[in-house]
């Protein structure tokens, strides 16, 4: 099955099975960060849409612990950058219907929380098909070391994600049930 068919199948399944009460355990997530990326202070998150697992609670708690939080702003040619944000700052809705920061302060994350459509045990990610995160990861890898953490529901796991030369592997995938390293 090709990426497009897999993506469509998982997105339909995710919408049908979405449960806002299914969450990543906050305490386990914070412990995981302390054990695996303790020197990181800048977090790139995302504003959940399209039935994605919600990272806003995580971002709010990290903000209270003096982490610098950022969200992506989509640019031309499927490019994006991450801009400083906190819960008290306004957001504007982009052309995809996703809220983005109004900020003009670019932030290069130490940890990048990545939404995904599907994943496998080899830390491969199936995204929405626009290549936004793959392009961003390629760009930031030239600037600094970033820890890439995919966030998903456990039922988004597939046996094997079809990959090509543009696809970027994640360092970890965290679901409501487990952490894949």
């Amino acid at each position: 099955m090709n990426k497009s068919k897999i993506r469509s199948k998982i997105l339909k399944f995710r919408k049908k099975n979405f449960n806002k009460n299914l969450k990543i355990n906050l305490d386990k997530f914070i412990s995981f960060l302390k054990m695996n990326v303790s020197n990181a202070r800048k977090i790139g998150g995302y504003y959940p849409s399209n039935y994605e697992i919600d990272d806003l609670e995580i971002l709010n708690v990290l903000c209270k612990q003096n982490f610098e939080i950022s969200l992506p702003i989509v640019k031309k040619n499927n490019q994006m950058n991450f801009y400083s944000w906190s819960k008290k700052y306004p957001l504007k809705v982009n052309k995809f219907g996703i809220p983005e920061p109004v900020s003009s302060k670019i932030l290069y994350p130490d940890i990048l929380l990545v939404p995904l459509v599907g994943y496998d045990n080899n830390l491969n990610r199936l995204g929405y098909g626009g290549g936004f995160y793959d392009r961003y990861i390629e760009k930031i890898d030239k600037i600094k070391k970033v820890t890439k953490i995919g966030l998903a529901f456990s039922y988004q796991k597939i046996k094997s994600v079809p990959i090509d030369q543009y696809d970027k592997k994640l360092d970890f995938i965290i679901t409501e049930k487990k952490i894949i390293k």
Side-chain angles (χ1 to χ4, degrees):
M1 206 180 309
N2 68 23
K3 283 184 183 184
S4 180
K5 285 184 180 167
I6 296 169
R7 186 179 294 115
S8 176
K9 191 174 177 179
I10 295 172
L11 287 173
K12 282 180 191 159
F13 188 81
R14 185 171 74 183
K15 181 177 181 180
K16 185 177 166 204
N17 292 282
F18 181 75
N19 177 346
K20 67 180 181 197
N21 295 320
L22 272 185
K23 297 179 183 183
I24 290 172
N25 182 297
L26 196 53
D27 295 331
K28 285 183 182 173
F29 186 86
I30 302 296
S31 296
F32 165 82
L33 285 185
K34 288 178 182 170
M35 289 180 359
N36 292 280
V37 281
S38 59
N39 59 342
R41 300 306 306 163
K42 297 176 182 176
I43 310 287
Y46 60 90
Y47 201 96
S49 64
N50 198 22
Y51 308 99
E52 292 168 339
I53 198 156
D54 193 336
D55 68 335
L56 293 178
E57 184 181 7
I58 293 168
L59 296 177
N60 289 332
V61 167
L62 292 174
C63 187
K64 288 176 187 165
Q65 295 180 8
N66 295 319
F67 282 80
E68 289 183 76
I69 306 301
S70 61
L71 294 177
I73 294 180
V74 173
K75 304 289 187 184
K76 292 178 187 164
N77 302 322
N78 291 11
Q79 298 289 326
M80 65 182 185
N81 276 317
F82 281 74
Y83 291 81
S84 183
W85 178 77
S86 88
K87 196 165 89 169
K88 60 186 173 215
Y89 295 145
L91 294 162
K92 67 180 186 319
V93 177
N94 71 15
K95 65 181 179 181
F96 300 107
I98 301 169
E100 296 179 329
V102 177
S103 170
S104 59
K105 181 185 174 193
I106 290 180
L107 196 74
Y108 294 108
D110 302 314
I111 298 169
L112 188 61
L113 302 182
V114 183
L116 46 89
V117 173
Y119 67 93
D120 63 26
N121 277 334
N122 295 319
L123 300 169
N124 292 309
R125 167 190 177 267
L126 178 67
Y128 291 94
F132 292 95
Y133 278 88
D134 293 320
R135 282 185 190 84
Y136 184 76
I137 290 166
E138 186 168 325
K139 177 171 64 176
I140 197 168
D141 276 346
K142 294 173 184 168
I143 298 168
K144 70 188 286 188
K145 166 92 175 94
V146 64
T147 302
K148 301 164 291 294
I149 303 173
L151 300 181
F153 297 106
S154 56
Y155 59 73
Q156 291 175 253
K157 181 180 167 215
I158 60 175
K159 186 175 180 176
S160 179
V161 172
I163 56 171
D164 61 37
Q165 77 261 26
Y166 301 111
D167 294 323
K168 303 295 180 201
K169 251 189 204 299
L170 300 171
D171 298 305
F172 303 95
I173 295 172
I174 300 179
T175 73
E176 80 285 2
K177 290 185 179 176
K178 67 180 188 175
I179 296 172
I180 301 168
K181 300 180 187 189

